[in-house]
Amino acid sequence: MALSDRSRESLLPSFLYTSSAARSFATGASRFPSPVSPASPAPGAVGGGAPISIQAPREKIEMYSPAFYAACTAGGIASCGLTHMAVTPLDLVKCNMQIDPAKYKSITSGFGVLLKEQGPRGFFRGWVPTLLGYSAQGACKFGFYEFFKKYYSDIAGPEYAQKYKTLIYLAGSASAEVIADVALCPFEAVKVRVQTQPGFARGLSDGLPKFVRSEGALGLYKGIVPLWGRQIPYTMMKFASFETIVEMIYKHAVPVPKSECSKSFQLGISFAGGYIAGVFCAIVSHPADNLVSFLNNAKGATVGDAVKKLGLWGLFTRGLPLRIVMIGTLTGAQWGIYDAFKVMVGLPTTGGVTPAPGAAEKALQASA
């Protein structure tokens, strides 16, 4: 059954636009050509025609306007909250391997122990604080990254912003993550306790008040410093390496300019660049990840206790292979979802060959 115009319009979030004019949706082949050949109608389409494609909204979202930052914030919520929730089973095994390596000796045995003791439902223990916590973190991470990247670029000026763009990526992402972790920390504390202490609580609704009664409200932020130690290097690597990798792909591996590539091709580049960046992220942030898990699991534990029990080698390597797989997939999916959301609301994908100073508006028009 064909969708009504009103139903089609509801597919795009109208709160992102400064005008309430009607959105237009049309049928037909994609208006963006593939990177090597013109697009052709898909065979076997329903009714003998081309499939329905969602067109960009008529109203342009002005770059760096409040609507732009709202779109980036909403994209961050979707990308981080959903992806972290999806890998809850991997995160659950990883946390238990870090806390009790004698019992959870490997990835496969860890899954076996959880299945035997808690059943299939146990694999998603702690999914609610994971979803809410990382949604809040994603909103701040991506929204403030775009804000600080523009802010620091304006301070540097066009010439130095181009010359020192990697430093701007690093500074912008670090600044954003400081704020994002303040939003994440209480949820992370409850999540780790629920996942590593069976019987502590069923989830966030009973776990949060129990945690506060046990350690006080400030106890929710006991792990904020190691969380910063884990997340700030992770996020700096995530954004700076992604921007650099995507730029190198378009510059050296793609035979045509980014503006001539199809949106699906650009989103594929976003996922590939995100996955590669995620591997680097996992390595640089893993020692602090072990500390966060240890401190949030043991009441009154200190960083010194963690180093003494885990050892320096264990601090850097315990649970690392699983975390590389998890974070690589997670980061690739996050960039894919984030850029897909941006495309849906009429914005260009992230990264690519940096345009000349003052050419941002032209890039936006070319992508529309």
Side-chain angles (χ1 to χ4, degrees):
M1 181 181 295
L3 292 173
S4 67
D5 291 341
R6 186 172 297 276
S7 297
R8 292 175 181 169
E9 288 174 10
S10 67
L11 294 175
L12 285 178
S14 59
F15 73 89
L16 294 175
Y17 306 110
T18 56
S19 168
S20 59
R23 284 28 145 199
S24 63
F25 292 82
T27 59
S30 172
R31 59 187 291 190
F32 297 99
S34 70
V36 293
S37 62
S40 57
V46 177
I52 293 176
S53 61
I54 300 178
Q55 304 298 320
R58 289 176 181 173
E59 303 88 347
K60 296 293 189 299
I61 296 182
E62 183 182 353
M63 294 293 285
Y64 313 117
S65 65
F68 169 79
Y69 293 119
C72 295
T73 299
I77 292 173
S79 68
C80 290
L82 295 176
T83 51
H84 275 276
M85 185 186 69
V87 298
T88 296
L90 289 174
D91 188 45
L92 187 61
V93 173
K94 173 191 70 70
C95 288
N96 281 283
M97 287 177 64
Q98 292 168 333
I99 298 303
D100 193 355
K103 183 177 181 180
Y104 299 87
K105 297 179 181 179
S106 67
I107 297 172
T108 52
S109 67
F111 276 107
V113 170
L114 286 173
L115 182 62
K116 181 179 179 180
E117 293 186 351
Q118 302 180 29
R121 294 183 62 181
F123 287 131
F124 280 91
R125 181 180 296 274
W127 72 270
V128 174
T130 298
L131 174 63
L132 298 181
Y134 283 94
S135 293
Q137 186 217 34
C140 299
K141 184 198 298 273
F142 282 92
F144 279 109
Y145 171 69
E146 299 288 359
F147 171 81
F148 283 117
K149 183 169 69 170
K150 174 67 163 59
Y151 178 73
Y152 294 142
S153 296
D154 289 344
I155 292 176
E159 181 181 351
Y160 287 107
Q162 172 67 20
K163 186 176 181 180
Y164 299 108
K165 57 189 176 184
T166 301
L167 291 179
I168 289 174
Y169 300 152
L170 292 170
S173 57
S175 301
E177 191 60 37
V178 169
I179 300 171
D181 288 343
V182 174
L184 169 64
C185 195
F187 297 97
E188 182 75 0
V190 176
K191 175 187 79 74
V192 171
R193 190 66 61 88
V194 168
Q195 290 181 335
T196 59
Q197 293 187 11
F200 171 76
R202 294 188 304 274
L204 182 66
S205 60
D206 57 336
L208 179 59
K210 189 173 181 179
F211 192 106
V212 172
R213 285 195 302 269
S214 173
E215 302 195 27
L218 292 179
L220 293 169
Y221 284 92
K222 179 176 67 174
I224 186 65
V225 173
L227 186 63
W228 278 330
R230 180 188 80 183
Q231 291 297 131
I232 292 176
Y234 164 86
T235 301
M236 293 171 71
M237 181 65 73
K238 174 180 180 176
F239 284 89
S241 61
F242 173 82
E243 299 258 18
T244 302
I245 290 166
V246 168
E247 180 174 340
M248 291 176 64
I249 291 175
Y250 281 114
K251 184 180 292 185
H252 302 293
V254 179
V256 296
K258 176 184 176 181
S259 59
E260 296 181 16
C261 298
S262 67
K263 290 301 180 185
S264 60
F265 183 83
Q266 293 181 32
L267 293 176
I269 296 295
S270 295
F271 176 81
Y275 196 100
I276 297 171
V279 173
F280 295 124
C281 292
I283 294 171
V284 301
S285 63
H286 193 65
D289 184 63
N290 273 320
L291 286 177
V292 170
S293 295
F294 187 91
L295 293 176
N296 284 327
N297 177 69
K299 182 177 180 180
T302 65
V303 173
D305 295 332
V307 174
K308 184 178 179 180
K309 182 174 181 179
L310 300 177
L312 286 177
W313 179 251
L315 204 61
F316 278 85
T317 61
R318 182 169 293 171
L320 180 59
L322 178 58
R323 192 158 186 266
I324 287 177
V325 174
M326 185 182 82
I327 297 300
T329 305
L330 198 70
T331 308
Q334 284 177 357
W335 279 113
I337 293 172
Y338 178 66
D339 275 348
F341 187 89
K342 290 176 71 176
V343 168
M344 186 182 74
V345 299
L347 290 169
T349 59
T350 309
V353 179
T354 306
E361 291 77 8
K362 294 181 180 179
L364 178 60
Q365 292 174 2
S367 68

